Amino acid sequence: MTMARRRSLLAAGALGTLTVGAMAIDQSPAGAGEEGAPGRPLRFKPGGCEPDLEVDWHAGWPSSKHDPEPEIQSHAADEHTIIMRQNKSVNYEAPFMFLLFGAESALLIDTGATPEPEYFPLREVVDAHIGAWLENHPREDYRLIVAHTHGHGDHKAADAQFADRPHTTVVGTGLDAVTAFYGFEDWPNTPRELDLGGRVVDLVPGPGHHASAIVFHDRWTRLLLTGDTFYPGRLYVDDWDAFSCTVDRLVAWCEEHPVSHVLGCHVEMSIQPGLDYPRGSTYQPDEAALPMRVERLQALRQAVHEVDGAPGVHKYDDFHIWYQVE
């Protein structure tokens, strides 16, 4: 994707539509009702939103240099929830990122795989989304929290774009920084809560892929955001015992809390069962869908019990488990 054809971010238009590059994003309410209308108080009743996850995610281009799509694709799952994906033509990892709006703060989960704003204008896109949201819900000193599912480079590369942003906190990715910010006193045993101003997000410890990994459960949409712990792709396990406990913890969480869908941060599987795209692929024309149901998480638990810590690549229809593989 050349600088000459880089598409700039356009301004917010009327009727809640935001244009990013060539993409028009409908930000009309989906479940907010009158409580989400301008001038009315924001109330985020748990389960009050049925998120719209029907979207054709751009999965790269046969020639990355000639990819006609913008660097970041955005989709409004509802008026208060934006899902973004980095273009595979910018970085093959193509991570997903999530922007959740509460009455007092917005929460950005992950910052992608590319640091340079000229190639990956995440700050510009996020600021446009926040500006459009504030037009409908004006308030002073609105804050942004930049958080992470875990500390690998393809999820924190653009942190520096937010370092000098006013009213912004960038949470560190080391275990000490994570436990201190969220108040984990007995990591990884007890989840914590983050209140964005009426919109509460649960923070479930998720080590195994990464030592300080967190799974986010948004009570408003009932989405469970699992980062690299679980997604349609290659699940790289660093600490088997911790990973096994995390999977058990997440299944138990879903049994005790309403979860509409499970969303990870990548897609690496194709629609053909058991077939993944090679690492480094920048074009995935028949990739699997991002949203998963809780039953697939239960299938992961069964697979983890079957593998039982044996090194190797263990292939299942919807995911592969990689443990101690060079």
Side-chain angles (χ1 to χ4, degrees), residues 70-108:
E71 297 91 339
I72 300 169
Q73 180 183 359
S74 295
H75 170 70
D78 85 297
E79 180 186 12
H80 310 294
T81 309
I82 304 292
I83 304 174
M84 297 170 284
R85 187 186 196 181
Q86 183 170 359
N87 194 326
K88 290 187 75 68
S89 295
V90 178
N91 188 289
Y92 73 89
E93 295 281 8
F96 289 84
M97 297 147 287
F98 306 88
L99 182 61
L100 314 181
F101 294 100
E104 299 173 359
S105 303
L107 174 67
L108 173 63

Side-chain angles (χ1 to χ4, degrees), residues 193-207:
E193 298 177 1
L194 180 64
D195 190 344
L196 303 177
R199 183 176 188 171
V200 177
V201 178
D202 298 294
L203 312 165
V204 184

Side-chain angles (χ1 to χ4, degrees), residues 88 234 267-271 275-281 283-288:
K88 290 187 75 68
R234 295 178 291 275
V267 175
E268 295 167 349
M269 302 299 294
S270 75
I271 57 175
L275 180 64
D276 63 333
Y277 290 91
R279 181 176 175 84
S281 297
Y283 182 46
Q284 299 180 172
D286 297 308
E287 67 177 17

Side-chain angles (χ1 to χ4, degrees), residues 230-234 264 266-269 288-290 292 296 318-319:
F230 189 42
Y231 61 94
R234 295 178 291 275
H266 301 279
V267 175
E268 295 167 349
M269 302 299 294
L290 173 68
M292 300 178 290
R296 201 173 298 179
D318 300 313
F319 53 83

